[in-house]
Amino acid sequence: MKLMAKTRNIGISAHIDSGKTTLTERILFYCGEIHKIEDVRGGGDGAKMDHMELEKEKGITITSAATTVWWKGLSGQGTTYAAGVDKETRVNIIDTPGHVDFTVEVERSLRVLDGAVLVLCSVAGVQSQSITVDRQMKRYNVPRLAFLNKMDRMGANAFTGRKALVEKLNHNAVLMQIPIGEEDGFEGVVDLVTKKAYYFDGDNGENIRIEDCPANLVDLMEEYRSEMIDKVAEYDDTVMENYLEGNEPSEEDLHKCIKVGVNTLALTPVYMGSAFKNKGVQILLEAVTRYLPSPTECEKPIALNADDDSKVLLNPVPEEGLICMAFKITDEQFGQLTYTRIYRGTLRKGETVFNTRTKKKVRIGRMVRMNSNDRENIDEAHAGDIIAIVGMECASGDTFVGSQADLNLSLEGMHVPIPVIELSISCKDKNEQAKMSKGLNRFVREDPTFHVFTDDESGETRISGMGELHLEIYVERLKREYGSEVIVGAPQVNYRETIRQETKYDYIHKKQTGGSGQFGQVVGVLRPLAENEKDTEDQIFKFHNQIKGGSIPTEYIGACEKGFQDIMDKGPLAAFPLINCEIFLQDGKYHDVDSSDMAFRIAARQAMRAAVKSADPVLLEPVMKVECTTPDEYQGSVIGDLSSRRGIIQGSETDPNGEVIINAEVPLSEMFGYSSDLRSMSAGKATYTMEFSRYVACPVNIQEKVISDRTDKLSND
């Protein structure tokens, strides 16, 4: 329990190119895990946490990487810890990708973490992926700190960065520091709790110099300190009462209030620095260990009891029965590497555990503690630990328990967004095909957002994912890691279908061929989901059983539901999946002899097929949220081009560097090849990010063209 209280499981998440991996690299250095700082881009071996060759080449994080560090505290003075200072707080860190195409890496990391650091660029502030990451943190109720990075950059402004957190993310964001100097004159920070100035000396900022607040910043410091106290004192009634009576809270009182605010997700403390220039990282680490919760303090995890659908609160103690979750898997030379979070109990090498999904026994072989791509062998791990198991076969999201008595328990899974883009891949010969199949099987096991399937009509192999870069990375990995020279077809959009009006159905399935026949009647209503019930990412189908008086026996209700669900796979317009439908089963008839599961499933299937056709079906296309950053002179060209792609301009703003940020919603079908077009029209100076927003009805001309192309394809195949 003592070690758990001294453990922090955190993630570092942000918009792409905000400095997450650079920040993690500095944390590793100041905790003595590495002895030389490498840059994310250019020179040396690359950042420790970006261990894939593609990550080093492109300068982006593709897969989340885990590491463990020990932080002695500011008294440890960074790298002096490595000389043998007693170990203090253990921090398990997961560095996650910033690019939206790899968003599932963020999802599964936040699912198992107790706290997070939201990194923002102090120049750009809150960007599109910052909003997505924040939404993911809220989904899993993850307490967070904010870190305004790149304070040394031209246009950096801590005060506007904090304002963006309040206005764009609706955070109760409170500055914990003010900067000493601006832009390239940024020297350090003044801590608003201690009223002390912190400077970071030495070649790598490892020597922390603490002085009184500079005289020219005293008034500013007092102003923001008063604001900070006003915000944080409300989390302790006694502190608030004393403060209202004119008694200033002590440092200990402030720390206590801040921790309560953070752990209840009501407060976001804001820190600042420059990870690249080695400033401010140690104080952020101190805040992580001081304010973010340990496994014993965080919100208790919940397991679902399959027997009665009840929820079971798990006490994070080593002495109770084991419950752990495999949240990420990767295939390696010596077998599968399974990243695992232990929520309760103790996991030991050589023990046998049970997979609650497959109900099978699994023996625990080699266990390791990860440090990016390096690993340290361990013999046991306890509640609150994040470790990896070598050679264990399972799927991402599986729950493991220590005894058969707990086989009915499973941990809640993670949110997995649906793919929006697909393309065909093929090989020249059978040898290449075998290599490709081996690689694809591995990637599907590792990444829930990467799908592989065979087109029923053409027989070709197709892959689908979150974006062009997502699929491009996997195609490149097939070539590099498996030597498979795949041939790639043109990317295609994953359209959907839905209905726009309510319709009734009444269908009788009757078949008599001698002996027992088939009979089933279903009656009810099919409706489109109300706008506020629609899910923009998941394929929603709701079934409501309103049978009364036993007109359809209970044992056939499940078959009816399956029959309705069968039709959701292929819509009537162009055989794309149906979404956002709810069906009400209100009445029916059965026969004592001829009725069966199959009869009612067929009846429901035929009823659904007819009802969908008469419910005003429409084709839906994925619309992407696009954010372009461009110099002012190209603003008109960029806006004009987005408009020509059927884009709707949501607005624009000018950042402190004078560049224009344009926000728009554009159909995915119009965005293929956009990166090269944008480079051409802006002399390579403009950049953009894109993420899925929602499905919307296609214009009539687009719908007709898609249906026509689909019909031609099916007829040719």
Side-chain angles (χ1 to χ4, degrees), residues 102-299:
F102 310 106
T103 189
V104 74
E105 293 285 342
V106 186
E107 286 282 351
R108 57 183 166 193
S109 298
L110 291 174
R111 168 63 183 82
V112 300
L113 293 172
D114 304 326
V117 176
L118 175 61
V119 181
L120 301 175
C121 172
S122 57
V123 179
V126 172
Q127 298 166 275
S128 59
Q129 188 64 7
S130 310
I131 299 172
T132 301
V133 167
D134 179 67
R135 186 168 63 243
Q136 292 168 323
M137 290 180 182
K138 289 175 180 173
R139 179 179 293 137
Y140 299 110
N141 295 320
V142 178
R144 82 294 305 263
L145 309 177
F147 183 69
L148 297 174
N149 195 20
K150 304 187 179 182
M151 284 295 297
D152 59 304
R153 295 273 295 272
M154 183 180 295
N157 190 309
F159 307 105
T160 57
R162 178 255 185 177
K163 184 179 178 183
L165 277 167
V166 174
E167 294 180 350
K168 294 187 177 181
L169 299 182
N170 297 317
H171 281 219
N172 182 20
V174 179
L175 288 175
M176 294 289 119
Q177 305 165 333
I178 60 170
I180 302 173
E182 298 177 346
E183 300 177 345
D184 58 358
F186 176 67
E187 297 180 50
V189 296
V190 177
D191 187 279
L192 298 181
V193 174
T194 64
K195 302 201 278 190
K196 295 291 185 181
Y198 290 78
Y199 301 89
F200 305 88
D201 300 332
D203 293 339
N204 297 301
E206 64 269 35
N207 299 319
I208 301 172
R209 175 165 46 94
I210 305 174
E211 297 182 356
D212 290 332
C213 176
N216 64 320
L217 291 178
V218 169
D219 290 343
L220 186 67
M221 180 269 291
E222 292 292 356
E223 175 189 343
Y224 279 96
R225 189 170 193 272
S226 295
E227 180 183 313
M228 180 268 291
I229 295 175
D230 286 343
K231 290 288 184 69
V232 305
E234 65 184 68
Y235 300 110
D236 187 293
D237 291 341
T238 303
V239 173
M240 175 60 83
E241 287 175 14
N242 289 334
Y243 181 54
L244 291 175
E245 291 172 2
N247 300 314
E248 187 170 289
S250 65
E251 289 183 22
E252 185 180 343
D253 286 337
L254 289 174
H255 291 316
K256 182 171 64 174
C257 291
I258 294 167
K259 181 157 187 168
V260 172
V262 170
N263 283 259
T264 56
L265 276 68
L267 179 71
T268 304
V270 181
Y271 295 84
M272 62 196 68
S274 169
F276 185 68
K277 292 295 180 66
N278 312 309
K279 290 179 170 63
V281 177
Q282 298 98 316
I283 299 180
L284 175 66
L285 255 177
E286 191 78 356
V288 164
T289 59
R290 192 186 292 275
Y291 303 132
L292 290 180
S294 70
T296 60
E297 297 168 324
C298 65
E299 182 179 321

Side-chain angles (χ1 to χ4, degrees), residues 31 52 135 215 259 274 297 334 376 464 479 481 488 535 572 577 588 620 706:
C31 291
M52 288 176 57
R135 186 168 63 243
K259 181 157 187 168
S274 169
E297 297 168 324
F334 301 107
E376 167 198 350
S464 61
K479 295 176 181 177
E481 297 174 27
V488 181
D535 191 307
L620 302 176
V706 171

